[in-house]
PDB file of all heavy atoms in Angstrom:
ATOM      1  N   LEU A   1     -81.572   6.448 -69.504  1.00 96.00           N
ATOM      2  CA  LEU A   1     -80.549   6.087 -70.480  1.00 96.00           C
ATOM      3  C   LEU A   1     -79.726   4.889 -70.016  1.00 96.00           C
ATOM      4  O   LEU A   1     -79.265   4.097 -70.849  1.00 96.00           O
ATOM      5  CB  LEU A   1     -79.640   7.286 -70.754  1.00 96.00           C
ATOM      6  CG  LEU A   1     -80.280   8.394 -71.591  1.00 96.00           C
ATOM      7  CD1 LEU A   1     -79.416   9.647 -71.572  1.00 96.00           C
ATOM      8  CD2 LEU A   1     -80.499   7.936 -73.023  1.00 96.00           C
ATOM      9  N   TRP A   2     -79.538   4.753 -68.714  1.00 97.00           N
ATOM     10  CA  TRP A   2     -78.842   3.563 -68.209  1.00 97.00           C
ATOM     11  C   TRP A   2     -79.635   2.306 -68.552  1.00 97.00           C
ATOM     12  O   TRP A   2     -79.066   1.297 -68.970  1.00 97.00           O
ATOM     13  CB  TRP A   2     -78.648   3.644 -66.690  1.00 97.00           C
ATOM     14  CG  TRP A   2     -77.951   4.883 -66.223  1.00 97.00           C
ATOM     15  CD1 TRP A   2     -77.174   5.738 -66.979  1.00 97.00           C
ATOM     16  CD2 TRP A   2     -77.989   5.443 -64.899  1.00 97.00           C
ATOM     17  NE1 TRP A   2     -76.718   6.781 -66.198  1.00 97.00           N
ATOM     18  CE2 TRP A   2     -77.199   6.622 -64.924  1.00 97.00           C
ATOM     19  CE3 TRP A   2     -78.595   5.048 -63.705  1.00 97.00           C
ATOM     20  CZ2 TRP A   2     -77.021   7.414 -63.795  1.00 97.00           C
ATOM     21  CZ3 TRP A   2     -78.422   5.837 -62.579  1.00 97.00           C
ATOM     22  CH2 TRP A   2     -77.632   7.010 -62.627  1.00 97.00           C
ATOM     23  N   VAL A   3     -80.943   2.386 -68.388  1.00 96.00           N
ATOM     24  CA  VAL A   3     -81.812   1.241 -68.704  1.00 96.00           C
ATOM     25  C   VAL A   3     -81.816   0.966 -70.200  1.00 96.00           C
ATOM     26  O   VAL A   3     -81.705  -0.191 -70.637  1.00 96.00           O
ATOM     27  CB  VAL A   3     -83.246   1.501 -68.193  1.00 96.00           C
ATOM     28  CG1 VAL A   3     -84.180   0.383 -68.646  1.00 96.00           C
ATOM     29  CG2 VAL A   3     -83.261   1.629 -66.677  1.00 96.00           C
ATOM     30  N   ILE A   4     -81.947   2.028 -70.991  1.00 96.00           N
ATOM     31  CA  ILE A   4     -81.965   1.878 -72.451  1.00 96.00           C
ATOM     32  C   ILE A   4     -80.641   1.297 -72.945  1.00 96.00           C
ATOM     33  O   ILE A   4     -80.618   0.390 -73.784  1.00 96.00           O
ATOM     34  CB  ILE A   4     -82.254   3.238 -73.117  1.00 96.00           C
ATOM     35  CG1 ILE A   4     -83.707   3.655 -72.853  1.00 96.00           C
ATOM     36  CG2 ILE A   4     -81.990   3.176 -74.627  1.00 96.00           C
ATOM     37  CD1 ILE A   4     -84.015   5.070 -73.267  1.00 96.00           C
ATOM     38  N   GLY A   5     -79.535   1.820 -72.422  1.00 96.00           N
ATOM     39  CA  GLY A   5     -78.225   1.314 -72.813  1.00 96.00           C
ATOM     40  C   GLY A   5     -78.056  -0.153 -72.456  1.00 96.00           C
ATOM     41  O   GLY A   5     -77.554  -0.948 -73.253  1.00 96.00           O
ATOM     42  N   GLY A   6     -78.498  -0.526 -71.251  1.00 96.00           N
ATOM     43  CA  GLY A   6     -78.425  -1.920 -70.837  1.00 96.00           C
ATOM     44  C   GLY A   6     -79.270  -2.818 -71.727  1.00 96.00           C
ATOM     45  O   GLY A   6     -78.842  -3.929 -72.091  1.00 96.00           O
ATOM     46  N   ALA A   7     -80.461  -2.336 -72.109  1.00 96.00           N
ATOM     47  CA  ALA A   7     -81.333  -3.120 -72.985  1.00 96.00           C
ATOM     48  C   ALA A   7     -80.693  -3.322 -74.359  1.00 96.00           C
ATOM     49  O   ALA A   7     -80.775  -4.410 -74.947  1.00 96.00           O
ATOM     50  CB  ALA A   7     -82.688  -2.431 -73.127  1.00 96.00           C
ATOM     51  N   MET A   8     -80.055  -2.293 -74.880  1.00 96.00           N
ATOM     52  CA  MET A   8     -79.423  -2.408 -76.191  1.00 96.00           C
ATOM     53  C   MET A   8     -78.231  -3.360 -76.160  1.00 96.00           C
ATOM     54  O   MET A   8     -78.012  -4.138 -77.106  1.00 96.00           O
ATOM     55  CB  MET A   8     -79.009  -1.027 -76.705  1.00 96.00           C
ATOM     56  CG  MET A   8     -80.182  -0.171 -77.131  1.00 96.00           C
ATOM     57  SD  MET A   8     -79.716   1.327 -78.042  1.00 96.00           S
ATOM     58  CE  MET A   8     -79.120   2.348 -76.692  1.00 96.00           C
ATOM     59  N   ILE A   9     -77.452  -3.324 -75.080  1.00 96.00           N
ATOM     60  CA  ILE A   9     -76.334  -4.264 -74.952  1.00 96.00           C
ATOM     61  C   ILE A   9     -76.860  -5.691 -74.831  1.00 96.00           C
ATOM     62  O   ILE A   9     -76.279  -6.635 -75.391  1.00 96.00           O
ATOM     63  CB  ILE A   9     -75.462  -3.897 -73.737  1.00 96.00           C
ATOM     64  CG1 ILE A   9     -74.724  -2.565 -73.983  1.00 96.00           C
ATOM     65  CG2 ILE A   9     -74.462  -5.012 -73.441  1.00 96.00           C
ATOM     66  CD1 ILE A   9     -73.691  -2.619 -75.101  1.00 96.00           C
ATOM     67  N   TRP A  10     -77.949  -5.871 -74.102  1.00 94.00           N
ATOM     68  CA  TRP A  10     -78.586  -7.191 -74.007  1.00 94.00           C
ATOM     69  C   TRP A  10     -78.992  -7.698 -75.390  1.00 94.00           C
ATOM     70  O   TRP A  10     -78.707  -8.853 -75.748  1.00 94.00           O
ATOM     71  CB  TRP A  10     -79.806  -7.105 -73.096  1.00 94.00           C
ATOM     72  CG  TRP A  10     -80.710  -8.298 -73.174  1.00 94.00           C
ATOM     73  CD1 TRP A  10     -80.444  -9.557 -72.733  1.00 94.00           C
ATOM     74  CD2 TRP A  10     -82.034  -8.331 -73.733  1.00 94.00           C
ATOM     75  NE1 TRP A  10     -81.521 -10.390 -72.989  1.00 94.00           N
ATOM     76  CE2 TRP A  10     -82.508  -9.659 -73.602  1.00 94.00           C
ATOM     77  CE3 TRP A  10     -82.862  -7.377 -74.318  1.00 94.00           C
ATOM     78  CZ2 TRP A  10     -83.774 -10.052 -74.037  1.00 94.00           C
ATOM     79  CZ3 TRP A  10     -84.127  -7.766 -74.766  1.00 94.00           C
ATOM     80  CH2 TRP A  10     -84.567  -9.083 -74.618  1.00 94.00           C
ATOM     81  N   GLU A  11     -79.647  -6.834 -76.172  1.00 95.00           N
ATOM     82  CA  GLU A  11     -80.085  -7.239 -77.504  1.00 95.00           C
ATOM     83  C   GLU A  11     -78.900  -7.561 -78.410  1.00 95.00           C
ATOM     84  O   GLU A  11     -78.905  -8.563 -79.147  1.00 95.00           O
ATOM     85  CB  GLU A  11     -80.938  -6.134 -78.131  1.00 95.00           C
ATOM     86  CG  GLU A  11     -82.290  -5.951 -77.468  1.00 95.00           C
ATOM     87  CD  GLU A  11     -83.086  -4.803 -78.043  1.00 95.00           C
ATOM     88  OE1 GLU A  11     -82.487  -3.912 -78.707  1.00 95.00           O
ATOM     89  OE2 GLU A  11     -84.317  -4.778 -77.846  1.00 95.00           O
ATOM     90  N   LEU A  12     -77.878  -6.718 -78.362  1.00 94.00           N
ATOM     91  CA  LEU A  12     -76.692  -6.946 -79.189  1.00 94.00           C
ATOM     92  C   LEU A  12     -76.011  -8.258 -78.824  1.00 94.00           C
ATOM     93  O   LEU A  12     -75.624  -9.036 -79.709  1.00 94.00           O
ATOM     94  CB  LEU A  12     -75.710  -5.783 -79.022  1.00 94.00           C
ATOM     95  CG  LEU A  12     -74.401  -5.883 -79.803  1.00 94.00           C
ATOM     96  CD1 LEU A  12     -74.654  -5.824 -81.308  1.00 94.00           C
ATOM     97  CD2 LEU A  12     -73.438  -4.777 -79.382  1.00 94.00           C
ATOM     98  N   SER A  13     -75.879  -8.519 -77.532  1.00 92.00           N
ATOM     99  CA  SER A  13     -75.233  -9.744 -77.079  1.00 92.00           C
ATOM    100  C   SER A  13     -76.008 -10.977 -77.538  1.00 92.00           C
ATOM    101  O   SER A  13     -75.416 -11.978 -77.960  1.00 92.00           O
ATOM    102  CB  SER A  13     -75.107  -9.736 -75.550  1.00 92.00           C
ATOM    103  OG  SER A  13     -74.358  -8.623 -75.098  1.00 92.00           O
ATOM    104  N   ARG A  14     -77.330 -10.909 -77.461  1.00 90.00           N
ATOM    105  CA  ARG A  14     -78.157 -12.020 -77.936  1.00 90.00           C
ATOM    106  C   ARG A  14     -77.978 -12.252 -79.426  1.00 90.00           C
ATOM    107  O   ARG A  14     -77.832 -13.397 -79.875  1.00 90.00           O
ATOM    108  CB  ARG A  14     -79.639 -11.750 -77.640  1.00 90.00           C
ATOM    109  CG  ARG A  14     -80.041 -11.876 -76.184  1.00 90.00           C
ATOM    110  CD  ARG A  14     -81.488 -11.487 -75.981  1.00 90.00           C
ATOM    111  NE  ARG A  14     -82.419 -12.403 -76.615  1.00 90.00           N
ATOM    112  CZ  ARG A  14     -83.206 -12.105 -77.640  1.00 90.00           C
ATOM    113  NH1 ARG A  14     -83.154 -10.904 -78.204  1.00 90.00           N
ATOM    114  NH2 ARG A  14     -84.035 -12.989 -78.145  1.00 90.00           N
ATOM    115  N   MET A  15     -78.007 -11.187 -80.188  1.00 90.00           N
ATOM    116  CA  MET A  15     -77.888 -11.315 -81.640  1.00 90.00           C
ATOM    117  C   MET A  15     -76.562 -11.943 -82.051  1.00 90.00           C
ATOM    118  O   MET A  15     -76.494 -12.692 -83.027  1.00 90.00           O
ATOM    119  CB  MET A  15     -78.037  -9.939 -82.316  1.00 90.00           C
ATOM    120  CG  MET A  15     -79.452  -9.418 -82.376  1.00 90.00           C
ATOM    121  SD  MET A  15     -79.627  -8.047 -83.560  1.00 90.00           S
ATOM    122  CE  MET A  15     -78.605  -6.793 -82.809  1.00 90.00           C
ATOM    123  N   LEU A  16     -75.520 -11.633 -81.299  1.00 90.00           N
ATOM    124  CA  LEU A  16     -74.184 -12.088 -81.686  1.00 90.00           C
ATOM    125  C   LEU A  16     -73.799 -13.425 -81.044  1.00 90.00           C
ATOM    126  O   LEU A  16     -72.645 -13.839 -81.131  1.00 90.00           O
ATOM    127  CB  LEU A  16     -73.150 -11.016 -81.331  1.00 90.00           C
ATOM    128  CG  LEU A  16     -73.313  -9.691 -82.085  1.00 90.00           C
ATOM    129  CD1 LEU A  16     -72.213  -8.712 -81.689  1.00 90.00           C
ATOM    130  CD2 LEU A  16     -73.305  -9.907 -83.586  1.00 90.00           C
ATOM    131  N   GLY A  17     -74.765 -14.077 -80.407  1.00 82.00           N
ATOM    132  CA  GLY A  17     -74.520 -15.436 -79.941  1.00 82.00           C
ATOM    133  C   GLY A  17     -74.287 -15.610 -78.466  1.00 82.00           C
ATOM    134  O   GLY A  17     -73.924 -16.706 -78.024  1.00 82.00           O
ATOM    135  N   GLY A  18     -74.514 -14.579 -77.671  1.00 75.00           N
ATOM    136  CA  GLY A  18     -74.263 -14.690 -76.235  1.00 75.00           C
ATOM    137  C   GLY A  18     -75.527 -14.812 -75.420  1.00 75.00           C
ATOM    138  O   GLY A  18     -75.694 -14.122 -74.409  1.00 75.00           O
ATOM    139  N   ASP A  19     -76.465 -15.685 -75.839  1.00 76.00           N
ATOM    140  CA  ASP A  19     -77.762 -15.793 -75.161  1.00 76.00           C
ATOM    141  C   ASP A  19     -77.620 -16.066 -73.669  1.00 76.00           C
ATOM    142  O   ASP A  19     -78.365 -15.509 -72.857  1.00 76.00           O
ATOM    143  CB  ASP A  19     -78.590 -16.913 -75.803  1.00 76.00           C
ATOM    144  CG  ASP A  19     -78.872 -16.660 -77.268  1.00 76.00           C
ATOM    145  OD1 ASP A  19     -78.013 -16.988 -78.102  1.00 76.00           O
ATOM    146  OD2 ASP A  19     -79.945 -16.115 -77.558  1.00 76.00           O
ATOM    147  N   ALA A  20     -76.684 -16.928 -73.301  1.00 77.00           N
ATOM    148  CA  ALA A  20     -76.571 -17.358 -71.905  1.00 77.00           C
ATOM    149  C   ALA A  20     -76.209 -16.213 -70.974  1.00 77.00           C
ATOM    150  O   ALA A  20     -76.700 -16.149 -69.838  1.00 77.00           O
ATOM    151  CB  ALA A  20     -75.549 -18.488 -71.791  1.00 77.00           C
ATOM    152  N   TRP A  21     -75.339 -15.330 -71.415  1.00 83.00           N
ATOM    153  CA  TRP A  21     -74.873 -14.272 -70.524  1.00 83.00           C
ATOM    154  C   TRP A  21     -75.371 -12.878 -70.930  1.00 83.00           C
ATOM    155  O   TRP A  21     -75.007 -11.886 -70.309  1.00 83.00           O
ATOM    156  CB  TRP A  21     -73.337 -14.258 -70.474  1.00 83.00           C
ATOM    157  CG  TRP A  21     -72.683 -14.257 -71.827  1.00 83.00           C
ATOM    158  CD1 TRP A  21     -72.275 -15.333 -72.547  1.00 83.00           C
ATOM    159  CD2 TRP A  21     -72.376 -13.105 -72.631  1.00 83.00           C
ATOM    160  NE1 TRP A  21     -71.735 -14.945 -73.759  1.00 83.00           N
ATOM    161  CE2 TRP A  21     -71.783 -13.573 -73.822  1.00 83.00           C
ATOM    162  CE3 TRP A  21     -72.537 -11.733 -72.451  1.00 83.00           C
ATOM    163  CZ2 TRP A  21     -71.367 -12.727 -74.850  1.00 83.00           C
ATOM    164  CZ3 TRP A  21     -72.124 -10.880 -73.472  1.00 83.00           C
ATOM    165  CH2 TRP A  21     -71.552 -11.382 -74.645  1.00 83.00           C
ATOM    166  N   ALA A  22     -76.226 -12.807 -71.956  1.00 88.00           N
ATOM    167  CA  ALA A  22     -76.728 -11.508 -72.415  1.00 88.00           C
ATOM    168  C   ALA A  22     -77.455 -10.722 -71.322  1.00 88.00           C
ATOM    169  O   ALA A  22     -77.230  -9.517 -71.183  1.00 88.00           O
ATOM    170  CB  ALA A  22     -77.628 -11.697 -73.636  1.00 88.00           C
ATOM    171  N   PRO A  23     -78.355 -11.341 -70.525  1.00 89.00           N
ATOM    172  CA  PRO A  23     -79.007 -10.564 -69.457  1.00 89.00           C
ATOM    173  C   PRO A  23     -78.010  -9.967 -68.472  1.00 89.00           C
ATOM    174  O   PRO A  23     -78.129  -8.800 -68.076  1.00 89.00           O
ATOM    175  CB  PRO A  23     -79.917 -11.595 -68.784  1.00 89.00           C
ATOM    176  CG  PRO A  23     -80.168 -12.624 -69.831  1.00 89.00           C
ATOM    177  CD  PRO A  23     -78.889 -12.721 -70.604  1.00 89.00           C
ATOM    178  N   GLY A  24     -77.022 -10.776 -68.088  1.00 91.00           N
ATOM    179  CA  GLY A  24     -76.012 -10.264 -67.163  1.00 91.00           C
ATOM    180  C   GLY A  24     -75.198  -9.143 -67.763  1.00 91.00           C
ATOM    181  O   GLY A  24     -74.868  -8.157 -67.085  1.00 91.00           O
ATOM    182  N   MET A  25     -74.899  -9.252 -69.060  1.00 92.00           N
ATOM    183  CA  MET A  25     -74.136  -8.204 -69.724  1.00 92.00           C
ATOM    184  C   MET A  25     -74.952  -6.917 -69.812  1.00 92.00           C
ATOM    185  O   MET A  25     -74.417  -5.811 -69.689  1.00 92.00           O
ATOM    186  CB  MET A  25     -73.727  -8.678 -71.127  1.00 92.00           C
ATOM    187  CG  MET A  25     -72.658  -7.817 -71.781  1.00 92.00           C
ATOM    188  SD  MET A  25     -71.129  -7.787 -70.821  1.00 92.00           S
ATOM    189  CE  MET A  25     -70.667  -6.069 -70.985  1.00 92.00           C
ATOM    190  N   GLY A  26     -76.257  -7.063 -69.996  1.00 93.00           N
ATOM    191  CA  GLY A  26     -77.118  -5.881 -70.010  1.00 93.00           C
ATOM    192  C   GLY A  26     -77.109  -5.165 -68.674  1.00 93.00           C
ATOM    193  O   GLY A  26     -77.055  -3.928 -68.608  1.00 93.00           O
ATOM    194  N   VAL A  27     -77.155  -5.926 -67.606  1.00 95.00           N
ATOM    195  CA  VAL A  27     -77.108  -5.340 -66.259  1.00 95.00           C
ATOM    196  C   VAL A  27     -75.767  -4.653 -66.016  1.00 95.00           C
ATOM    197  O   VAL A  27     -75.705  -3.528 -65.491  1.00 95.00           O
ATOM    198  CB  VAL A  27     -77.354  -6.418 -65.187  1.00 95.00           C
ATOM    199  CG1 VAL A  27     -77.115  -5.857 -63.791  1.00 95.00           C
ATOM    200  CG2 VAL A  27     -78.773  -6.970 -65.307  1.00 95.00           C
ATOM    201  N   ILE A  28     -74.674  -5.318 -66.412  1.00 95.00           N
ATOM    202  CA  ILE A  28     -73.340  -4.734 -66.244  1.00 95.00           C
ATOM    203  C   ILE A  28     -73.228  -3.415 -67.021  1.00 95.00           C
ATOM    204  O   ILE A  28     -72.679  -2.427 -66.515  1.00 95.00           O
ATOM    205  CB  ILE A  28     -72.258  -5.729 -66.711  1.00 95.00           C
ATOM    206  CG1 ILE A  28     -72.180  -6.911 -65.746  1.00 95.00           C
ATOM    207  CG2 ILE A  28     -70.898  -5.039 -66.825  1.00 95.00           C
ATOM    208  CD1 ILE A  28     -71.285  -8.031 -66.217  1.00 95.00           C
ATOM    209  N   ALA A  29     -73.765  -3.402 -68.229  1.00 96.00           N
ATOM    210  CA  ALA A  29     -73.700  -2.186 -69.051  1.00 96.00           C
ATOM    211  C   ALA A  29     -74.476  -1.038 -68.410  1.00 96.00           C
ATOM    212  O   ALA A  29     -74.006   0.108 -68.368  1.00 96.00           O
ATOM    213  CB  ALA A  29     -74.250  -2.477 -70.448  1.00 96.00           C
ATOM    214  N   GLY A  30     -75.671  -1.347 -67.887  1.00 96.00           N
ATOM    215  CA  GLY A  30     -76.448  -0.312 -67.223  1.00 96.00           C
ATOM    216  C   GLY A  30     -75.752   0.230 -65.990  1.00 96.00           C
ATOM    217  O   GLY A  30     -75.729   1.451 -65.749  1.00 96.00           O
ATOM    218  N   LEU A  31     -75.157  -0.667 -65.211  1.00 97.00           N
ATOM    219  CA  LEU A  31     -74.411  -0.236 -64.026  1.00 97.00           C
ATOM    220  C   LEU A  31     -73.176   0.570 -64.401  1.00 97.00           C
ATOM    221  O   LEU A  31     -72.818   1.541 -63.722  1.00 97.00           O
ATOM    222  CB  LEU A  31     -74.004  -1.465 -63.197  1.00 97.00           C
ATOM    223  CG  LEU A  31     -75.144  -2.212 -62.508  1.00 97.00           C
ATOM    224  CD1 LEU A  31     -74.609  -3.481 -61.840  1.00 97.00           C
ATOM    225  CD2 LEU A  31     -75.850  -1.321 -61.495  1.00 97.00           C
ATOM    226  N   ALA A  32     -72.519   0.177 -65.509  1.00 97.00           N
ATOM    227  CA  ALA A  32     -71.339   0.914 -65.966  1.00 97.00           C
ATOM    228  C   ALA A  32     -71.703   2.347 -66.337  1.00 97.00           C
ATOM    229  O   ALA A  32     -70.958   3.292 -66.045  1.00 97.00           O
ATOM    230  CB  ALA A  32     -70.703   0.197 -67.149  1.00 97.00           C
TER     231      ALA A  32
END
């Protein structure tokens, strides 16, 4: 679920215009 949650945050961030930092945000979300 940590991985799935991180992947979903990555996808959401990309969709909303944060391509540059979306991978990092996905990692942060999974760690959170």
Side-chain angles (χ1 to χ4, degrees):
L1 287 169
W2 305 341
V3 174
I4 290 170
M8 288 191 284
I9 292 294
W10 167 69
E11 291 177 341
L12 179 66
S13 301
R14 287 176 67 247
M15 284 196 295
L16 296 182
D19 299 84
W21 50 268
M25 194 60 220
V27 172
I28 290 172
L31 291 174

